Amino acid sequence: MSRNTKTPILAANDAEDLEILSARLQDAVGKLADFVYLPKKRRFAALLNRFQWEGAPNLRVRAGLYFDGVLSARSRNLKMGAPDAVVSLLAIRFVPGEEPAGTVELIFAGGGVIALAVECIEAALRDVSGPWAARGKPIHEAGHGA
């Protein structure tokens, strides 16, 4: 499979950039089997089916997300032993520590969280497939997103 060089990479190097990635990934879904922490490479990566909020209505696309400089990865309220479990990403936020370090939190529906202790924010997002029709637009309760 050839690399799609036409799809731009969105990079995040600070909390403001991370908010943009979070907006792009709101309501992305993925199997826990597609989330991986590689401690020797200090990288966390995930493949998700994201809703294209910025594009034509009701489309999803497969997207790759990664964080570098990851010192540790913890999860809570997720069934990490169930690789086929599907999770819905609601937001990504940064909790500052001793600058430039901190914790990146991937927040999922149902209260699940993956917390990444990072040296600094170093992340990127790239669409890796063409779009397909979504079953519908995600709906949120008042005050909870789009």
Side-chain angles (χ1 to χ4, degrees):
M1 185 168 142
S2 64
R3 278 181 66 169
N4 181 353
T5 56
K6 293 181 182 179
T7 303
I9 294 175
L10 289 177
N13 294 305
D14 59 30
E16 189 175 320
D17 292 344
L18 202 57
E19 288 177 17
I20 295 167
L21 290 188
S22 179
R24 288 283 175 106
L25 286 166
Q26 182 179 9
D27 298 307
V29 295
K31 289 184 178 182
L32 288 176
D34 292 332
F35 292 71
V36 63
Y37 172 49
L38 306 167
K40 289 182 182 178
K41 292 186 177 187
R42 298 187 330 180
R43 176 174 273 199
F44 178 87
L47 284 171
L48 299 147
N49 298 333
R50 75 174 188 87
F51 190 83
Q52 283 192 306
W53 291 105
E54 77 286 0
N58 298 331
L59 294 178
R60 284 200 179 265
V61 64
R62 190 86 161 143
L65 170 69
Y66 73 84
F67 293 89
D68 280 337
V70 178
L71 304 172
S72 68
R74 303 179 324 273
S75 67
R76 67 180 180 266
N77 298 329
L78 292 173
K79 296 179 181 180
M80 298 309 286
D84 289 333
V86 175
V87 292
S88 178
L89 183 64
L90 297 179
I92 301 172
R93 74 174 165 211
F94 182 67
V95 179
E98 188 175 322
E99 285 196 28
T103 303
V104 172
E105 294 181 332
L106 286 79
I107 302 163
F108 298 92
V113 175
I114 294 177
L116 308 174
V118 296
E119 296 175 318
C120 63
I121 297 173
E122 188 176 350
L125 173 69
R126 175 180 233 155
D127 291 345
V128 296
S129 77
W132 67 86
R135 292 185 184 159
K137 184 176 181 176
I139 299 171
H140 295 267
E141 294 176 25
H144 290 90

